[in-house]
RNA sequence: GGCCCCAUCGUCUAGUGGCCUAGGACACCACCCUCUCAAGGUGGCGGCACGGGUUCGAAUCCCGUUGGGGCUGCCA
């Protein structure tokens, strides 16, 4: 008989949500969905010095954004490791009573000195047989048995560790609080976790944890260590150097689906020649055995390419909805009163193919809502330098005062002005574009002018003419 | 230093002994389309780290070398 598998995701609440953690969570979630199991969220807050309660809500929100919904019947938690301290301590004492652990009174300084003197690194097992009991300044250490420990890992195969290379690690701190290694195991046992899927950086901890499982008489879980995510220097993504906050990508305008899809392909690929596939397909196909063994570079460019794809796949109304946060943000160039939702809806389809991240939208449509064209000196210089610029704008102003107001005729007018001077539309449009939009690049000009209206168009041409002198 | 992991285009990957003169995607380049910029289309550039084996046959298996990475805390 097989019971439904139970996966767990066990982040520590140390600020924002790390993209590496996001991928690990996604792998666990995909597996839970694929196998009809449970995803258990456990907040590992044993290190009191660096946890903060508001961050756990951040974790839940971030998971929710990724589609790992805490309302789902397959979602369990959050549990807090700190709430289980009693169980951890009880287990530690049981380990002591069984002879699997012993007390030690050495300080870190003393350990270092001994290591220096012996020339060997780490703790040397000095207190193993000293028969110490609990007391102030005493830590409880696990008595690593002789022999070898074999970790059966679903992505790596069998990994063998000689136990004599593993030091007697600390279970309980001198203040009596449990260490991660212990707490982690006790919680996994307590929550009947069957699969531990986590990042590769935990692989060296695994034999230690497995020994604790064994000592407690419980069969260890199925392990799976997925490769870490690295930066361009091939170093593990770090909070200090790298942009790793999921929230940051969200506020830059990365779509959740794009992020999910991209993260899943870091270390794994869906079948076939397309890597942009719906979540349900990934759930169906994802297998731990197919996960790559080597670190994967978190490539923001590729993420944005995925995102552009997802943006273009949105229906127009979904796209418009998705843009709202960036149109109403506090740092936007226009005032709320100046914003015209109808205008935005009218031009949205022209914007949709032109952005890779949603935060780009604002600077692409600002000229519609600002009283005057935005100023961009580089664009101005580039477009207004030709000696014909002034005359073209002048003629434009005259013709646009009376011509039919639709993009076809607006275009035809400028085309004619250009033809008379032997200038292609691609060239003559430049001064007009900058006069109207402020920039040399942007959405299609004549549609934009049409939406802007005759009055404002004429006024902007006037302003530009004046500036040209 | 010690322990462990890893090694296919610049990057993410497909590939599990013959279908591989190694496929796709991102990036890059060119062309087409085109009012700018995108999007889209077409094409191109570019890789099995190296050396030994095993085998009729190796990107795929074994060994070694080299190169990367992770861990090495009374952090998680």
């Amino acid at each position: 008989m097989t019971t439904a598998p139970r996966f767990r995701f066990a982040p520590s609440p140390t600020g924002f949500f790390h993209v590496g953690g996001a991928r690990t969570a996604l792998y666990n979630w995909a597996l839970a969905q694929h196998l009809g199991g449970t995803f258990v969220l456990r907040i590992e807050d044993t290190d009191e010095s660096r946890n903060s309660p508001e961050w756990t809500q951040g974790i839940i929100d971030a998971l929710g954004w990724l589609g790992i919904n805490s309302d789902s019947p397959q979602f369990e938690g959050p549990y807090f490791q700190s709430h289980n301290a009693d169980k951890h301590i009880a287990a530690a004492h049981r380990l002591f009573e069984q002879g699997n652990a012993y007390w030690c009174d050495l300080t870190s300084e003393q350990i270092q000195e001994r290591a220096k003197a012996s020339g060997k690194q780490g703790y040397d097992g000095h207190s193993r047989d000293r028969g110490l009991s609990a007391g102030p300044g005493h830590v409880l250490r696990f008595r690593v048995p002789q022999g070898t420990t074999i970790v059966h890992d679903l992505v790596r195969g069998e990994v063998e560790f000689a136990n004599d290379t593993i030091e007697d690690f600390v279970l309980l701190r001198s203040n009596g609080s449990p260490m991660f290694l212990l707490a982690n195991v006790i919680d996994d046992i307590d929550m009947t976790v069957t699969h531990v899927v986590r990042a590769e950086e935990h692989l060296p901890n695994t034999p230690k944890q497995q020994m604790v499982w064994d000592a407690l008489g419980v069969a260890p879980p199925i392990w799976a260590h997925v490769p870490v995510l690295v930066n361009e220097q091939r170093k593990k993504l770090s909070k200090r150097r790298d942009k790793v906050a999921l929230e940051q990508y969200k506020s830059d305008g990365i779509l959740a689906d794009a992020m999910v899809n991209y993260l899943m392909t870091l270390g794994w690929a869906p079948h076939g020649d397309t890597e942009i596939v719906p979540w349900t397909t990934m759930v169906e196909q994802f297998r731990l055995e197919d996960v790559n063994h080597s670190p994967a570079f978190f490539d923001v460019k590729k993420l944005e390419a995925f995102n552009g794809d997802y943006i273009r796949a949105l229906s127009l109304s979904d796209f418009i909805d998705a843009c709202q946060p960036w149109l109403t943000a506090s740092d936007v160039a226009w005032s709320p009163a100046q914003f015209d939702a109808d205008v935005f809806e009218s031009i949205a389809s022209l914007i949709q193919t032109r952005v890779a991240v949603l935060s780009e939208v604002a600077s692409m449509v600002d000229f519609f809502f600002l009283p005057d064209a935005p100023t961009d000196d580089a664009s101005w210089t580039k477009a207004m330098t030709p000696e014909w610029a002034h005359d073209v704008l002048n003629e434009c102003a005259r013709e646009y005062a009376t011509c039919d107001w639709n993009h076809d005729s607006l275009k035809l007018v400028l085309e004619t002005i250009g033809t008379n001077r032997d200038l292609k539309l691609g060239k003559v449009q430049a001064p007009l574009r900058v006069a109207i939009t402020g920039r040399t690049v942007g959405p299609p000009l004549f549609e934009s002018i049409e939406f802007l209206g005759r009055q404002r168009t004429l006024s902007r041409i006037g302003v530009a003419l004046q500036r040209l002198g």
Side-chain angles (χ1 to χ4, degrees), chain A residues 347 350 368 407-408 410 443-452:
Chain A
I347 46 110
L350 303 177
F368 283 109
H407 60 268
D408 282 334
L410 290 164
L445 222 210
F446 305 104
E447 280 85 347
S448 299
I449 293 176
E450 183 183 332
F451 289 122
L452 203 56

Side-chain angles (χ1 to χ4, degrees), chain A residues 292-371:
Chain A
N292 247 285
H293 296 182
S294 40
F297 170 50
F298 185 81
D299 185 353
V300 177
K301 271 198 170 168
K302 188 157 181 178
L303 204 213
E304 291 183 353
F306 269 49
N307 203 54
D309 247 60
Y310 272 91
I311 285 178
R312 275 168 251 127
L314 253 25
S315 70
L316 184 57
S317 67
D318 284 347
F319 174 69
I320 291 167
D321 289 346
C323 287
Q324 293 313 309
W326 289 270
L327 296 172
T328 56
S330 56
D331 62 347
V332 90
W334 56 85
S335 71
Q338 290 170 322
F339 181 68
D340 185 333
D342 291 340
V343 168
F344 181 73
E345 283 184 28
S346 309
I347 46 110
S349 68
L350 303 177
I351 305 301
Q352 194 171 2
T353 55
R354 288 175 169 74
V355 293
V357 293
L358 263 15
S359 58
E360 290 174 321
V361 169
S363 66
M364 207 157 268
V365 299
D366 58 358
F367 69 90
F368 283 109
F369 310 124
L370 262 14

Side-chain angles (χ1 to χ4, degrees), chain A residues 130-394:
Chain A
R130 290 170 64 213
L132 264 29
S133 50
H138 293 194
V139 299
L140 186 70
R141 287 181 179 274
F142 186 79
R143 189 190 301 275
V144 173
Q146 305 222 301
T148 62
T149 301
I150 297 171
V151 171
H152 297 273
D153 189 293
L154 236 36
V155 345
R156 312 211 167 246
E158 290 193 355
V159 187
E160 199 173 315
F161 298 85
N163 289 3
D164 57 15
T165 63
I166 300 172
E167 67 174 32
D168 288 348
F169 51 94
V170 174
L171 261 17
L172 250 33
R173 299 187 181 91
S174 58
N175 68 5
S177 66
M179 288 280 289
F180 149 80
L181 232 34
L182 204 224
N184 197 270
V185 171
I186 303 309
D187 288 345
D188 283 343
I189 291 174
D190 193 46
M191 297 167 189
T192 61
V193 167
T194 58
H195 294 66
V196 172
V197 179
R198 62 206 334 183
E200 191 195 344
E201 65 209 67
H202 289 287
L203 190 51
N205 287 149
T206 310
K208 299 180 186 175
Q209 300 195 135
Q210 186 163 296
M211 286 187 276
V212 176
W213 283 77
D214 287 341
L216 257 11
V218 186
I222 292 169
W223 307 105
H225 290 88
V226 303
V228 292
L229 263 29
V230 298
N231 62 19
E232 46 279 274
Q233 278 87 239
R234 301 250 116 214
K235 301 277 189 213
K236 191 173 74 164
L237 243 35
S238 101
K239 174 179 182 172
R240 285 195 73 97
R241 296 182 299 251
D242 309 306
K243 182 173 162 185
V244 298
L246 194 70
E247 293 86 348
Q248 181 68 56
Y249 288 101
K250 180 186 177 188
S251 68
D252 282 352
I254 296 289
L255 262 19
D257 286 347
M259 181 57 95
V260 166
N261 197 156
Y262 177 64
L263 249 16
M264 287 296 288
T265 66
L266 253 25
W268 176 80
H271 306 338
D273 277 346
T274 25
E275 39 190 6
I276 306 245
V277 295
W279 173 250
T280 50
T281 302
M282 293 190 275
V283 167
E284 214 168 276
Q285 300 180 349
F286 184 78
R287 293 167 72 237
L288 246 10
E289 293 85 341
D290 295 335
V291 172
N292 247 285
H293 296 182
S294 40
F297 170 50
F298 185 81
D299 185 353
V300 177
K301 271 198 170 168
K302 188 157 181 178
L303 204 213
E304 291 183 353
F306 269 49
N307 203 54
D309 247 60
Y310 272 91
I311 285 178
R312 275 168 251 127
L314 253 25
S315 70
L316 184 57
S317 67
D318 284 347
F319 174 69
I320 291 167
D321 289 346
C323 287
Q324 293 313 309
W326 289 270
L327 296 172
T328 56
S330 56
D331 62 347
V332 90
W334 56 85
S335 71
Q338 290 170 322
F339 181 68
D340 185 333
D342 291 340
V343 168
F344 181 73
E345 283 184 28
S346 309
I347 46 110
S349 68
L350 303 177
I351 305 301
Q352 194 171 2
T353 55
R354 288 175 169 74
V355 293
V357 293
L358 263 15
S359 58
E360 290 174 321
V361 169
S363 66
M364 207 157 268
V365 299
D366 58 358
F367 69 90
F368 283 109
F369 310 124
L370 262 14
D372 298 310
T375 322
D376 179 64
D377 290 334
S379 292
W380 177 271
T381 311
K382 195 172 164 195
M384 299 302 185
T385 301
E387 67 285 356
W388 45 262
H390 183 277
D391 292 348
V392 164
L393 284 179
N394 221 336

